[in-house]
Amino acid sequence: MNIVFFAYSTVEFPAEDHEIKTLPSRKDEWQELCSLFPDDNFFIVTQLPSPFLIDIEGNEVLELPAKVKCMISKSHNPHDFAQDIISLNPDVAVQASYWAAPIDWMCLNDSLVGGELLKNGIKTVFHPVESELTCFDKWLTHNMLKDMGFLVPDAVYVHHELYWAERPKPYVTVNAYKEYVWNQMRNMKYPVVIKDTVGLSSYGMDVAVSFKEAVHYLNLGRTSSDRLVETFVDGTVFGTEIYSLGGKTVVMPPFLLSVNKYGLTSPRRSIKLGPVTDPKYNIGELNAMLVQVANKLNLNGVAQVDLIFKEGKWYVIEINPRLSGMSESYAYATGHSVIHNLAMLSHGILPEPEDCTCTCSFKLPLMDYATMEKIKAEKSVLYMYQIKNNAARQERERGYCELVVGGFENHKDLLDEIKSLSQKYNNLFEPLLMEEIEKVRALV
């Protein structure tokens, strides 16, 4: 069978500024996959950096196994990109979308590609474009979930152009829309979270503790897009992945996520720990909810969901129908790579939630490749990913190295192992990191 994995990009990748390393390498992951599926031929159609599919050095794709062919498409629209895939005569194609700042819409483009492939008679694992659009716009997501009867934070939608409609019109003395928004915000419970409706993860989010502070933020005029003002839900933050095929959905057991001092997840410092199976978290109720969501959206592939648990109830915050920062943690928690899980989808096979072992992912400072190899040699270190931005102006923007540590039957043994690693590599483990890991562990 000829299997194509595709991931279209909507941004120009500044290859000269970034260094990306993974252990195991993508080549090693593909080699393992070729051994598992000796009768299949694998093709990659993508654009840089395609972090889940290929190893790169600058603008060059590094060596892949002989049975894996990679095409770096030069197409600038979904139709032409789909034609690149069609030229390979695939039996099945699988969406492998990822994310990029500033607008999280690359998976929307991949759904357009998937639609083109389907029209040409190619079996394709992809999320429908209508579903991608609903999830892309957080206000549409909010309203869908609310209409389905699920708990969501109270929210006010702020249309940017209307909010500033009086600016080019000096004869307008009162902006009625702005007064309407303020009236809604006065009735909200504070603090609130203010975020972009189409932004990436928690980048650009802010917390306002009062109506006055929220208005001040909106009036700064430092944004050029719509905003959601959302009641802050001070519960326990989780994330999970769901896999759907042909109307069937598997919900992976949730992972706990660390939060910063504002109570928000931080993409650059987040800790992910799981799986969480304690009955106090009503996991069965969560699974039933997310199966309903998947059916409503007609999902077909992998998606990530942000969640908050408070006072015995689950709040669904966001749905990201693409691979995510959780994907490697889940894959290696089940003893596989992301590439392996995508290949299983191409064969109509969903993952087994019961296979998920106790796993924790966290970020360390940048290190040289020799140190990465030394740490990866530890039996408990399942995966490492390092990204370095040589163009960054601030130290905190230069990058990080993420570790996935796991393979344990219980969280106590997992935490003991992480403590042991922190003592062995104490120059890389900040004391604050271990404190944060222990805080998350206490919630399991």
Side-chain angles (χ1 to χ4, degrees):
M1 192 161 68
N2 290 339
I3 304 172
V4 172
F5 301 87
F6 66 93
Y8 190 98
S9 180
T10 59
V11 296
E12 183 178 352
F13 177 61
E16 66 280 2
D17 295 336
H18 290 77
E19 298 176 29
I20 300 173
K21 297 285 186 183
T22 66
L23 287 173
S25 67
R26 300 300 180 216
K27 177 184 178 182
D28 290 341
E29 292 177 338
W30 280 111
Q31 191 63 63
E32 181 181 6
L33 190 65
C34 290
S35 300
L36 291 171
F37 297 97
D39 297 328
D40 292 338
N41 298 304
F42 300 105
F43 300 87
I44 303 165
V45 180
T46 191
Q47 295 173 330
L48 298 182
S50 203
F52 291 98
L53 297 177
I54 54 177
D55 300 308
I56 60 172
E57 191 169 290
N59 277 311
E60 298 297 320
V61 178
L62 300 184
E63 183 183 14
L64 289 162
K67 287 187 65 177
V68 182
K69 308 299 181 186
C70 181
M71 176 192 297
I72 301 299
S73 173
K74 302 299 182 183
S75 300
H76 294 291
N77 62 72
H79 178 269
D80 290 347
F81 190 85
Q83 292 304 312
D84 290 337
I85 297 172
I86 292 167
S87 70
L88 300 172
N89 298 314
D91 295 294
V92 60
V94 181
Q95 177 181 4
S97 304
Y98 54 104
W99 68 91
I103 305 177
D104 192 10
W105 59 8
M106 293 205 293
C107 50
L108 182 59
N109 235 12
D110 277 332
S111 71
L112 295 173
V113 173
E116 289 286 331
L117 298 177
L118 207 59
K119 283 192 293 185
N120 281 271
I122 297 171
K123 179 182 176 182
T124 308
V125 179
F126 77 107
H127 300 301
V129 65
E130 297 83 6
S131 303
E132 292 280 13
L133 182 62
T134 298
C135 298
F136 162 66
D137 187 322
K138 296 177 177 65
W139 182 236
L140 292 179
T141 308
H142 174 94
N143 289 326
M144 180 201 73
L145 293 168
K146 188 176 180 179
D147 290 345
M148 292 181 71
F150 299 139
L151 284 174
V152 292
D154 290 335
V156 174
Y157 171 67
V158 183
H159 187 288
H160 179 77
E161 290 186 12
L162 289 176
Y163 192 83
W164 293 111
E166 77 277 14
R167 277 182 167 175
K169 305 174 184 69
Y171 51 86
V172 176
T173 58
V174 176
N175 182 328
Y177 179 78
K178 189 176 291 186
E179 293 293 338
Y180 161 75
V181 167
W182 289 349
N183 185 63
Q184 287 187 298
M185 288 169 54
R186 285 189 185 95
N187 297 320
M188 297 185 76
K189 183 180 178 181
Y190 286 82
V192 295
V193 176
I194 304 174
K195 61 185 182 182
D196 196 325
T197 59
V198 295
L200 174 66
S201 187
S202 57
Y203 290 105
M205 278 190 189
D206 215 330
V207 176
V209 299
S210 66
F211 169 75
K212 182 178 179 181
E213 189 173 311
V215 170
H216 174 72
Y217 177 90
L218 293 176
N219 287 348
L220 286 176
R222 63 188 180 189
T223 63
S224 58
S225 59
D226 299 348
R227 283 288 187 267
L228 276 187
V229 181
E230 234 177 37
T231 300
F232 178 77
V233 181
D234 59 341
T236 307
V237 179
F238 289 84
T240 190
E241 278 194 335
I242 58 178
Y243 293 78
S244 301
L245 273 178
K248 295 182 179 179
T249 294
V250 164
V251 181
M252 301 301 289
F255 272 51
L256 281 154
L257 306 181
S258 65
V259 296
N260 60 21
K261 62 182 180 180
Y262 303 108
L264 304 175
T265 55
S266 171
R268 298 189 182 280
R269 293 191 61 88
S270 67
I271 296 162
K272 309 174 190 74
L273 177 66
V276 176
T277 57
D278 193 313
K280 71 180 180 183
Y281 288 115
N282 301 332
I283 304 299
E285 177 186 320
L286 173 65
N287 291 348
M289 288 170 55
L290 295 184
V291 168
Q292 287 184 58
V293 170
N295 290 339
K296 174 74 173 178
L297 291 168
N298 195 26
L299 295 182
N300 197 47
V302 59
Q304 186 269 338
V305 186
D306 291 332
L307 305 154
I308 295 178
F309 185 81
K310 181 180 180 180
E311 298 175 352
K313 298 294 183 181
W314 285 101
Y315 290 74
V316 181
I317 306 301
E318 288 184 20
I319 305 164
N320 299 298
R322 54 164 171 74
L323 297 169
S324 74
M326 301 191 71
S327 295
E328 303 286 9
S329 298
Y330 270 114
Y332 279 94
T334 56
H336 305 296
S337 66
V338 171
I339 293 168
H340 173 277
N341 286 348
L342 293 175
M344 296 299 280
L345 292 178
S346 74
H347 283 265
I349 303 171
L350 294 166
E352 297 288 344
E354 297 78 10
D355 293 342
C356 199
T357 60
C358 293
T359 303
C360 182
S361 67
F362 51 90
K363 295 176 174 65
L364 297 180
L366 292 168
M367 61 189 77
D368 58 59
Y369 192 60
T371 303
M372 284 185 68
E373 290 185 307
K374 183 178 179 181
I375 294 176
K376 180 60 182 68
E378 303 283 349
K379 184 179 179 180
S380 62
V381 178
L382 307 179
Y383 174 79
M384 296 179 71
Y385 171 86
Q386 178 164 286
I387 181 166
K388 181 180 180 183
N389 182 359
N390 295 314
R393 296 182 180 181
Q394 300 181 39
E395 184 65 26
R396 66 184 181 89
E397 301 292 335
R398 288 187 63 235
Y400 58 82
C401 182
E402 182 167 19
L403 273 65
V404 176
V405 179
F408 293 86
E409 293 185 1
N410 62 74
H411 290 97
K412 180 184 180 302
D413 290 345
L414 171 61
L415 185 61
D416 287 344
E417 173 63 14
I418 296 173
K419 286 178 180 176
S420 176
L421 291 172
S422 72
Q423 293 165 3
K424 192 170 183 178
Y425 304 98
N426 59 10
N427 60 316
L428 294 171
F429 281 72
E430 300 174 2
L432 181 60
L433 173 62
M434 289 308 303
E435 291 178 18
E436 291 175 344
I437 291 175
E438 299 222 25
K439 283 181 185 177
V440 177
R441 164 66 181 88
L443 297 170
V444 173

